[in-house]
Amino acid sequence: MSQPTPYFVRPTKRCLSDLGLSFPALELPLHQVKDALVAKSQQVPEEVGAGSAERIRAIKDWVWFKVKVSSFRGAVTELDHAVDHGPEIAEAGARWWMGAAGKRQEDSGDDFYRSLKAEVTRAGRGTGSTSSGHLLPAEVDIRRLRAELAVQVTLGINTVVRKAIAASIKTGKVCTATFSHHRIAALVRARDGEAYLAVTAEGFIDPRLLAVILGSVPHVAHSDWLPEPQGEFGIEPEPGQIVYSTIVSAASQAAMMEEFSGEELSDF
């Protein structure tokens, strides 16, 4: 049986500003921001699917749904599937967004729904309807998503490389991992009382990607790596391969073994 698609709701920069928040570190996806309204908004896609979500009726030009927690309110929508919103949206599956937020204060000019209705009415003046397009993700939101995806790729490569090295430390064998269109092989060998590490990178090696691979090893600076055109420890480079080697300290080895201490490495 196939698993349901894991939907998530990202707050826009406008929404974060409404909540008095700023963009967090890139390692934290926006839908995981520590905020009660953002957390509650994650339930909206499921509520929509179940037919229990409440629409914001004051917005006529697009379907926006209410999200409520305590005295806070938000407006959540799903992007149009028929429109190409760019590769970042497609890659991340970022279909759902919360475009605005505020406090529910009935009989007050600062009430979220009252203010939102006035805002979209002004934006739609002369059209005969409301206009809420400005609440959809803007260029700044796409740039943030793009940066998050880049960080996720980097962190994923870092993890794969370190795990391959940890597996080699444990087994004494060449351990290979494949990601995207690239393949790396790691081998750790003891020599003259020190441990040496050789890493083979295969595929189209963008210098930035190579920097990420070599930067994955804790306590090892980029300047500590040396190219080994003739191979190292029996790793003979084939066409399209690059072999780099370095000395890996006991602290570095211990850090990687600790990171994957609860995982199976023998079959890596």
Side-chain angles (χ1 to χ4, degrees):
M1 181 181 297
S2 61
Q3 296 298 314
T5 302
Y7 294 113
F8 54 87
V9 179
R10 289 177 64 86
T12 62
K13 186 177 188 301
R14 150 70 190 269
C15 181
L16 290 175
S17 297
D18 288 346
L19 294 170
L21 302 172
S22 56
F23 281 149
L26 287 172
E27 289 78 5
L28 183 68
L30 289 188
H31 65 281
Q32 296 179 9
V33 166
K34 303 302 181 184
D35 177 84
L37 192 67
V38 174
K40 188 65 180 294
S41 73
Q42 305 308 313
Q43 300 175 16
V44 173
E46 184 176 351
E47 292 172 354
V48 171
S52 60
E54 185 178 358
R55 182 175 175 179
I56 301 176
R57 298 295 177 183
I59 303 180
K60 308 297 185 181
D61 62 294
W62 193 253
V63 178
W64 291 84
F65 297 99
K66 296 180 180 180
V67 57
K68 312 173 185 179
V69 61
S70 186
S71 62
F72 289 91
R73 301 291 185 267
V76 172
T77 193
E78 182 181 16
L79 299 182
D80 188 347
H81 286 263
V83 175
D84 181 4
H85 295 280
E88 295 84 4
I89 295 290
E91 181 179 349
R95 306 296 313 181
W96 290 86
W97 293 78
M98 181 159 59
K103 276 195 170 185
R104 176 64 163 152
Q105 302 176 75
E106 293 188 70
D107 302 321
S108 167
D110 294 328
D111 175 69
F112 172 67
Y113 293 127
R114 185 189 299 268
S115 298
L116 186 62
K117 179 180 180 180
E119 179 180 336
V120 297
T121 299
R122 286 194 304 271
R125 186 172 296 151
T127 67
S129 181
T130 58
S131 178
S132 60
H134 63 286
L135 301 179
L136 295 173
E139 179 58 32
V140 66
D141 300 303
I142 302 304
R143 289 200 304 268
R144 164 69 195 204
L145 179 57
R146 185 183 305 134
E148 277 185 26
L149 291 172
V151 167
Q152 290 171 19
V153 169
T154 297
L155 294 177
I157 292 173
N158 290 165
T159 299
V160 167
V161 172
R162 290 196 301 271
K163 190 170 184 180
I165 295 170
S168 181
I169 293 172
K170 181 174 181 178
T171 65
K173 301 177 181 178
V174 175
C175 293
T176 303
T178 302
F179 53 90
S180 185
H181 303 294
H182 307 282
R183 184 165 64 94
I184 68 102
L187 177 63
V188 179
R189 281 282 187 267
R191 178 187 288 178
D192 299 328
E194 294 180 310
Y196 284 75
L197 167 66
V199 172
T200 299
E202 180 179 339
F204 174 73
I205 304 300
D206 185 301
R208 294 169 297 182
L209 175 61
L210 184 59
V212 170
I213 293 173
L214 300 186
S216 302
V217 187
H219 309 298
V220 175
H222 280 279
S223 58
D224 294 336
W225 289 92
L226 296 175
E228 301 286 352
Q230 302 305 316
E232 188 70 4
F233 315 133
I235 297 181
E236 294 295 334
E238 298 177 2
Q241 291 184 333
I242 303 173
V243 178
Y244 280 80
S245 69
T246 189
I247 297 174
V248 57
S249 68
S252 179
Q253 295 179 67
M256 288 182 283
M257 294 304 293
E258 174 64 24
E259 181 178 357
F260 302 103
S261 59
E263 300 186 32
E264 179 59 54
L265 295 175
S266 58
D267 297 325
F268 186 81

